[in-house]
Amino acid sequence: MDTTRQTKRSLPSFVYKLMLLAATVIWGFAFVVMKDAVDVLPPAQLIGVRFLLTGPLMAALFHRRLRGSLNAGFLGAGLALGAVTFLAFWVQTVGLTDTTPGKNAFLTATYCIIVPFMLWAVARRRPTVANVGAAALCVAGIGLVSVAAGTLTIGFGDLMTLLCAVFFAAQIIAIARFSQTYDVLGLTVYQFLFGGVLGLLLGAATEPFPGLAAVANADFLLNLAYLVVLASGVCYVLQNVGLAHVPEAQGSLLLSLESVFGVIASVLLCGEVVTGRMMLGFALIFAAILMSELAPQPEKREAPTETAPAPELEESPSATP
C-alpha cells in the first residue's frame, strides 16, 4: 500500500477549501493593515522591508528548491519577476494612500480581467466572448466605484490601483513563462529578495525615513509581522496546499473572495461607508471576475496566481496585498 499517498489524502476535501478561504480572509484584512502601515513607512520602503523579511522566511521553507539556482538564467528570471512584483505592490501601496482599502481590494482584483487581453498582445491568444463580456462588466463596475458622481474624473488613488492591476497581470504572465523553465518556488524566493532590494533602493533615493521612533512603534511592528508572517508566509503555504487538492475552478472562486473580505475589513476596521452606488460597482466587478475565471477556455490556461508572488502560482490567479 502506498502510505504516502494515503497520508496526503487523509484530510477531507472541505479542509483544503477551508485553507483557501482562510488565506483570502487574511489577505482581505491585509489591505487594512497595509493602509495603517503606509501611514508610518512610505510605500517603497514598506514594500522593501516587507519583501526582505519575507524572502529569508520563504527561503527557509523551500531551501531544498533553491539547489542549483545560483546561475545567470535563474537569477535573471528572479530579478525580472522581482522588479515587476515590486512595481505592482508599490503602485498598489501608493494607491492606498489616497483611497480606501475596500476600493483598493476590488480595483486590484481587476487584474483577472486584464490577463486575457495582455496574453492577446504577447502570445496572440485571442480573448473569448466571456473575456470581452467580463471586461465590459468590469469597466461599468469601475465607473460606479471610482468615477465621482456627476463628473468623469477618477481619483489618484483609484487610478494608481488600476495601474497596479496591470502590473499584477504582467507578473502573472511572466511567472507562467519563467516557471516553464525554472522552479516556481525558487523563483518566488528571488522575487521577494530582489523586490525588497529594489524597494529599499528606491525608498532611500526618493522617500524620507520617518525615524526610528516611528518604526519602532508597537502597532507598526505588529502590522509588519502580520504582513510578513501571515499575509506572506502562512497564506502562501495555505494556498499552495489547498490548490493541490481543490479543482482549479473551485480554487479560483474561493480566492476571488479576497476582494470581498477586503471590503468587509475596511468597513469593520476603518469605518468605510459603502454607498449603494459602490455596492453595485463591487457586484459588477465581482461578477466580471467570476465570468473571467470560471468560463470555459479554448485551451489550457497559462496564467498562474498573485496577487502577489506565491508557490504554485500557475494554479490560480490571486494578487495579494
Side-chain angles (χ1 to χ4, degrees):
M1 179 183 295
D2 188 341
T3 57
T4 301
R5 181 181 296 274
Q6 186 181 43
T7 301
K8 287 183 177 180
R9 296 180 180 275
S10 61
L11 296 176
S13 61
F14 77 87
V15 174
Y16 298 107
K17 295 176 183 179
L18 287 177
M19 289 182 181
L20 296 179
L21 184 62
T24 63
V25 173
I26 295 172
W27 278 328
F29 278 78
F31 285 97
V32 173
V33 175
M34 284 288 290
K35 178 74 170 178
D36 290 339
V38 79
D39 288 338
V40 176
L41 200 61
Q45 294 178 38
L46 176 60
I47 297 302
V49 171
R50 175 185 174 181
F51 280 13
L52 278 183
L53 290 176
T54 302
L57 175 63
M58 301 299 287
L61 288 172
F62 305 113
H63 62 277
R64 294 181 180 178
R65 309 296 286 268
L66 293 175
R67 294 172 182 172
S69 66
L70 291 177
N71 58 71
F74 208 120
L75 292 175
L79 177 60
L81 289 175
V84 72
T85 300
F86 165 71
L87 287 172
F89 276 83
W90 176 52
V91 174
Q92 181 190 49
T93 308
V94 170
L96 259 177
T97 64
D98 194 59
T99 191
T100 66
K103 285 187 178 183
N104 192 263
F106 261 97
L107 294 179
T108 296
T110 61
Y111 74 92
C112 297
I113 289 87
I114 297 172
V115 166
F117 295 92
M118 194 171 286
L119 276 173
W120 188 16
V122 302
R124 299 295 186 267
R125 220 176 86 184
R126 289 182 178 275
T128 64
V129 173
N131 294 145
V132 176
L137 277 178
C138 186
V139 170
I142 290 170
L144 290 172
V145 170
S146 301
V147 177
T151 73
L152 293 177
T153 60
I154 184 171
F156 173 77
D158 293 345
L159 186 61
M160 289 296 100
T161 306
L162 290 171
L163 179 59
C164 95
V166 175
F167 284 122
F168 275 124
Q171 173 198 247
I172 289 169
I173 293 172
I175 294 174
R177 294 289 186 260
F178 287 132
S179 63
Q180 294 174 10
T181 305
Y182 306 106
D183 181 80
V184 70
L185 296 178
L187 285 174
T188 299
V189 174
Y190 287 126
Q191 272 184 288
F192 280 118
L193 293 176
F194 284 123
V197 170
L198 290 173
L200 290 186
L201 289 176
L202 180 63
T206 63
E207 298 171 342
F209 184 70
L212 290 177
V215 175
N217 179 276
D219 290 339
F220 173 76
L221 293 178
L222 285 174
N223 286 334
L224 186 61
Y226 185 100
L227 295 173
V228 172
V229 177
L230 294 178
S232 297
V234 171
C235 278
Y236 294 151
V237 173
L238 289 174
Q239 178 183 248
N240 190 43
V241 174
L243 288 175
H245 298 85
V246 176
E248 182 178 336
Q250 294 181 22
S252 297
L253 175 60
L254 289 169
L255 289 172
S256 67
L257 293 174
E258 174 190 342
S259 57
V260 177
F261 287 117
V263 173
I264 293 173
S266 184
V267 171
L268 293 178
L269 302 180
C270 296
E272 179 176 356
V273 177
V274 180
T275 65
R277 174 189 171 97
M278 288 173 59
M279 283 296 296
L280 179 57
F282 289 151
L284 290 178
I285 293 173
F286 191 62
I289 293 169
L290 297 185
M291 181 182 293
S292 180
E293 292 304 310
L294 302 182
Q297 299 295 317
E299 58 184 275
K300 188 179 185 297
R301 290 175 52 194
E302 300 177 354
T305 50
E306 163 47 85
T307 99
E312 302 299 342
L313 287 167
E314 70 274 18
E315 294 293 338
S316 175
S318 172
T320 63

